[in-house]
Amino acid sequence: MVKNKISVTSDNIFPIIKKFLYSDQEVFLRELVSNAIDAVVKLKTLIKLENLYDIADNFKVKIIVDKKNNTLHILDNGIGMTKEEVDKYINQIAFSGAEEFIKKYKNTTDSNIIGHFGLGFYSSFMVANKVMIFTQSYKKNASSIFWSCEGNPNFIMKEIDKKDRGTEIILSIHEEYKEFLEYDRIFKLLKKYCKFMPITIYLSSKDNEDKEKEIVINNINPAWKKNTLQLNDKNYLDFYHELYPNQLENPLFWIHLNIDHPFHLTGILYFPKIDKKIDIQKDKIHLYQNQVYITDNLEGIVPDFLSLLRGVIDSPDIPLNVSRSHLQSDASVKNISKYITRKVADKLDIMFRNKREDFQKIWKNIKIIVEYGMISTQNFFERAIKFFVFYTVDNNYFTLEEFRNKIKEIQKNKEGKIVFLYSSDQEEQYSYIKDAKDRCYEILIFDSPLSVHLIHKLEFSYQDICFVRVDSDHIDKLINFHKKENKPYSELSEKEKQDLKNFIKHHITEKNLKFSIQLEDLSETDNPFLIIIPEFLRRIKEMNSTIVGKNMEEKDQEKYYQLITNTNHILMKKILKETSEEKRKKIIQEALNLTLLSKGLLYGKNLTNFISKKFKDLTKEQE
């Protein structure tokens, strides 16, 4: 028997380990099971290299929950360890490696570390007050070894009676962490971290009569590891629901990733249906390393816009024990990010070119992903502009070039730029859309929370176009198409215009809204009043609300409103001719309230009074 001290420079290494990963105790199970899997994989490799064909090939890893004896067992029938190997890998290397790891990252918070590989076997002391190892090497003449430690630098190591090949680790679970003796808790952790490990994993639980129930935990050959020729649509869909059992809807389509140079990466990315809003995704892309689950936080590893996708990325070339701030400068991560972005763009481009009608049918469900990518990733923008689809209020679809060529002769502003009219809400902006369509103009739909940012990007990239929302001014002000001689002009004198402006300003009753009043010489058939937010001012508001993450309150919007007054409407002449101040006030307020009501800006006391008055007027008409 050997009694000795583990080779470390500090007697306080155990408290450091426990404290360092305090919020991630569950990682110990991944570490121990990963080690067990490695032991089996190494033996399978040696069998081929050394022709050890007399070794049985029923390879497996087993986890036993023994609540009665407060122990958790991790067993494998892999390569095992000799006495010298236990001394080398358990007593010396592991601890110095752990200490170096902790020293390097002691000032880094848990959330900034990609993975927690490095602590390996000793992560078990985060939850156990005693750990025992029983191991038998595959080497024929090796002795079986027992090793024990109670969470301090002292350990016991001795030879024992012959055991079966492999290693068994027994954890005596600390009172504080009894949750890891619950079968359901261990089951969920194994499903989280070990669901696709390459060796069959069994979970057993002993009942009060010491009878074991046993289930298989993992799928050792997941879809992303297979050749695409082996897979059909059903296989991909089955795997999607295996990854996300709570997802009832099927994904729209998927991309199979596989590259061996200059880095190794496999995976499958799924495009889910996404509506107009960007929600925090509950089901995210999973990062694996050699089929071991690492994280679903891929910040710094893939472009942000791909966080809206689902699926799996498996790569041994992504550094794990580094802070996220170092990832962007890592050459492998840069190449991986570019590769994934390119593959997504390739897939969308091929779908657009080969099956455009099918592509357009799903476009509204993937548009926000493409928009996000175009805004945030220049390389993707340059590819995506060829397949980005604009659609109109009449549900017609165009690429940028197709739409520009269609409207370039008739939709221009006074600066000569081609005007891309758009609506963000067809119901709310119906009257403005109708006015534009009456003039045979085309109106696009831009209704996502990213629209304003994409518009800014497009205008910056294409200097000959501009985007204008259809309700940001009278249509004849937005598009300069009328011949000069056909443009309306006002019969009012400058004094009459000033009097009209003063009357309106004096009789506005909606004090919660402050308008800047602007007189315009519009057509006699146009409405007397028009309430607008000019394009530039509205964009500032929308960009601010996107940054803040919520819609601005009405009181914050009031400085943006303009009240356009049509000097050519017959009502304006009536207001000027009216000698009774009370009647003039009534005309202005009635017309203005109708305008406010059409914009959804009449509310509270004024709305109640307006409706009551209209009911009274109806009653009088019946008398």
Side-chain angles (χ1 to χ4, degrees):
M1 179 185 292
V2 177
K3 288 190 176 183
N4 209 330
K5 275 198 171 185
I6 295 166
S7 302
V8 290
T9 57
S10 169
D11 283 352
N12 295 320
I13 194 75
F14 283 98
I16 293 172
I17 289 174
K18 292 177 182 180
K19 185 176 180 181
F20 181 75
L21 289 176
Y22 179 77
S23 64
D24 257 343
Q25 298 94 344
E26 66 182 41
V27 156
F28 85 91
L29 190 61
R30 181 189 71 182
E31 294 285 283
L32 296 181
V33 176
S34 296
N35 287 349
I37 296 289
D38 286 345
V40 176
V41 171
K42 285 175 183 175
L43 181 57
K44 289 178 73 174
T45 304
L46 285 171
I47 288 172
K48 293 177 183 177
L49 294 175
E50 300 181 8
N51 297 320
L52 304 173
Y53 295 113
D54 57 330
I55 295 178
D57 63 354
N58 59 331
F59 299 114
K60 63 182 178 181
V61 171
K62 188 173 181 179
I63 292 87
I64 301 174
V65 180
D66 189 351
K67 191 173 182 179
K68 180 180 176 181
N69 294 306
N70 292 326
T71 56
L72 186 67
H73 303 241
I74 296 92
L75 304 88
D76 69 73
N77 57 357
I79 196 169
M81 289 182 284
T82 63
K83 181 180 178 183
E84 292 73 24
E85 287 167 340
V86 172
D87 189 52
K88 181 179 180 181
Y89 297 121
I90 301 297
N91 297 341
Q92 297 174 29
I93 300 298
F95 254 130
S96 61
E99 186 180 30
E100 181 184 342
F101 177 84
I102 291 165
K103 191 180 294 182
K104 188 173 182 180
Y105 298 110
K106 64 183 178 182
N107 295 322
T108 309
T109 60
D110 289 351
S111 61
N112 286 332
I113 299 295
I114 307 307
H116 291 294
F117 284 129
L119 292 179
F121 164 73
Y122 279 95
S123 62
S124 57
F125 286 99
M126 290 190 292
V127 299
N129 49 33
K130 181 180 180 180
V131 177
M132 293 179 286
I133 300 174
F134 296 88
T135 186
Q136 170 62 51
S137 172
Y138 78 102
K139 297 173 182 176
K140 289 182 179 179
N141 297 322
S143 301
S144 294
I145 303 297
F146 168 80
W147 182 96
S148 176
C149 178
E150 296 186 4
N152 58 58
N154 299 305
F155 71 89
I156 295 172
M157 184 171 68
K158 63 180 180 179
E159 293 184 8
I160 56 173
D161 293 337
K162 202 76 170 175
K163 291 181 64 68
D164 293 334
R165 183 195 72 243
T167 300
E168 178 179 10
I169 297 173
I170 303 175
L171 279 61
S172 294
I173 301 298
H174 193 282
E175 187 68 32
E176 188 178 346
Y177 300 110
K178 291 291 186 182
E179 63 184 281
F180 297 113
L181 291 172
E182 297 296 333
Y183 178 87
D184 288 346
R185 175 76 164 120
I186 297 300
F187 175 80
K188 287 176 182 176
L189 288 178
L190 290 172
K191 281 293 185 183
K192 176 180 178 180
Y193 290 109
C194 312
K195 190 174 185 175
F196 301 112
M197 285 187 177
I199 303 297
T200 304
I201 300 169
Y202 295 90
L203 173 61
S204 297
S205 177
K206 289 186 177 181
D207 60 24
N208 292 330
E209 298 176 1
D210 282 342
K211 292 179 181 178
E212 286 188 23
K213 56 178 181 178
E214 187 173 273
I215 61 166
V216 175
I217 287 294
N218 56 328
N219 171 3
I220 64 173
N221 194 20
W224 83 81
K225 300 297 288 185
K226 296 178 181 178
N227 189 300
T228 54
L229 297 176
Q230 297 176 277
L231 300 166
N232 55 35
D233 287 356
K234 184 179 184 303
N235 298 141
Y236 281 109
L237 292 173
D238 287 346
F239 179 64
Y240 177 79
H241 292 293
E242 186 178 1
L243 277 174
Y244 308 110
N246 295 324
Q247 283 295 331
L248 301 178
E249 265 192 320
N250 286 336
L252 296 168
F253 57 93
W254 47 85
I255 302 168
H256 200 127
L257 307 171
N258 192 350
I259 186 171
D260 290 321
H261 184 78
F263 51 84
H264 295 279
L265 182 142
T266 55
I268 302 172
L269 296 180
Y270 292 92
F271 275 71
K273 276 186 182 179
I274 296 181
D275 292 327
K276 297 172 189 175
K277 57 184 180 179
I278 298 178
D279 291 324
I280 296 173
Q281 297 290 309
K282 180 183 177 184
D283 292 322
K284 304 176 184 178
I285 298 173
H286 297 172
L287 175 65
Y288 282 74
Q289 190 170 89
N290 298 321
Q291 294 177 242
V292 180
Y293 174 81
I294 307 301
T295 183
D296 63 0
N297 181 1
L298 272 69
E299 180 187 350
I301 298 173
V302 299
D304 286 346
F305 78 96
L306 295 180
S307 64
L308 299 175
L309 304 186
R310 297 185 181 128
V312 169
I313 292 172
D314 189 336
S315 175
D317 294 322
I318 296 173
L320 299 178
N321 292 326
V322 297
S323 61
R324 293 187 184 275
S325 60
H326 286 85
L327 278 176
Q328 293 181 356
S329 60
D330 183 87
S332 291
V333 172
K334 281 183 178 179
N335 287 332
I336 286 170
S337 180
K338 287 178 183 176
Y339 166 75
I340 295 171
T341 302
R342 188 178 75 248
K343 292 294 287 184
V344 169
D346 287 346
K347 176 71 174 181
L348 293 170
D349 188 48
I350 290 168
M351 289 174 64
F352 172 75
R353 286 188 286 108
N354 293 350
K355 295 182 178 180
R356 179 161 175 173
E357 283 191 16
D358 292 341
F359 183 79
Q360 288 172 178
K361 285 176 184 176
I362 64 169
W363 175 247
K364 292 176 185 178
N365 295 120
I366 64 169
K367 179 169 71 81
I368 200 164
I369 300 173
V370 180
E371 286 178 334
Y372 194 179
M374 292 174 74
I375 292 163
S376 60
T377 308
Q378 182 60 29
N379 289 341
F380 185 76
F381 175 86
E382 291 166 4
R383 294 286 308 280
I385 197 60
K386 296 174 183 176
F387 56 74
F388 186 89
V389 181
F390 298 84
Y391 57 95
T392 69
V393 293
D394 297 318
N395 214 35
N396 296 318
Y397 291 80
F398 303 90
T399 63
L400 180 100
E401 283 304 311
E402 289 167 350
F403 193 70
R404 179 161 56 181
N405 289 334
K406 183 175 178 61
I407 67 169
K408 65 183 180 182
E409 299 301 329
I410 60 169
Q411 291 184 207
K412 288 188 176 180
N413 62 15
K414 59 185 179 182
E415 286 82 26
K417 288 191 174 186
I418 301 170
V419 178
F420 282 44
L421 289 173
Y422 71 94
S423 167
S424 60
D425 188 319
Q426 291 186 73
E427 292 298 319
E428 186 178 303
Q429 295 149 19
Y430 174 80
S431 62
Y432 299 91
I433 292 171
K434 183 179 181 301
D435 287 345
K437 288 184 72 174
D438 286 346
R439 291 160 174 77
C440 298
Y441 297 150
E442 294 282 351
I443 305 103
L444 299 171
I445 297 294
F446 268 80
D447 57 359
S448 90
L450 300 178
S451 291
V452 65
H453 301 282
L454 180 61
I455 285 169
H456 180 74
K457 178 84 173 177
L458 290 167
E459 288 178 338
F460 179 80
S461 302
Y462 298 90
Q463 298 291 313
D464 64 330
I465 67 174
C466 66
F467 286 79
V468 184
R469 203 168 86 178
V470 71
D471 64 339
S472 60
D473 206 335
H474 188 276
I475 188 63
D476 292 337
K477 295 289 181 180
L478 299 178
I479 294 177
N480 191 41
F481 188 64
H482 281 288
K483 292 181 179 178
K484 198 168 186 179
E485 59 269 23
N486 292 334
K487 287 188 176 180
Y489 65 94
S490 177
E491 296 179 0
L492 301 183
S493 67
E494 290 303 315
K495 182 180 183 306
E496 286 176 319
K497 288 182 178 180
Q498 189 59 49
D499 288 343
L500 181 62
K501 190 172 185 178
N502 291 336
F503 290 146
I504 293 168
K505 190 174 183 179
H506 181 67
H507 292 303
I508 289 177
T509 57
E510 187 55 81
K511 301 301 181 185
N512 292 326
L513 295 172
K514 296 174 183 175
F515 299 100
S516 62
I517 300 171
Q518 187 173 328
L519 304 184
E520 295 282 359
D521 303 334
L522 304 177
S523 164
E524 291 179 359
T525 58
D526 287 320
N527 290 335
F529 293 119
L530 194 67
I531 296 172
I532 66 166
I533 301 178
E535 182 71 19
F536 175 71
L537 293 176
R538 198 200 66 259
R539 284 199 204 177
I540 294 174
K541 176 182 82 72
E542 288 177 353
M543 282 189 167
N544 287 340
S545 66
T546 304
I547 293 168
V548 172
K550 61 180 181 180
N551 293 326
M552 297 179 73
E553 298 295 331
E554 212 63 59
K555 63 183 179 182
D556 297 320
Q557 297 180 15
E558 57 189 36
K559 60 179 177 288
Y560 296 108
Y561 287 115
Q562 284 187 4
L563 179 64
I564 306 297
T565 303
N566 181 7
T567 61
N568 287 323
H569 196 277
I570 192 170
L571 209 57
M572 301 307 151
K573 294 176 182 177
K574 189 174 181 180
I575 290 169
L576 288 168
K577 289 178 180 178
E578 183 58 61
T579 55
S580 166
E581 191 66 25
E582 189 60 34
K583 288 182 179 178
R584 181 187 291 128
K585 175 182 177 182
K586 181 181 177 182
I587 295 168
I588 293 171
Q589 288 184 353
E590 287 278 290
L592 191 55
N593 280 339
L594 287 169
T595 307
L596 288 167
L597 190 63
S598 71
K599 289 286 288 184
L601 295 175
L602 189 66
Y603 40 75
K605 180 181 177 182
N606 290 329
L607 176 60
T608 302
N609 291 343
F610 179 74
I611 292 171
S612 297
K613 184 180 180 304
K614 286 299 168 188
F615 279 130
K616 286 178 182 177
D617 291 345
L618 283 171
T619 305
K620 287 178 182 177
E621 288 175 9
Q622 298 297 320
E623 291 175 353

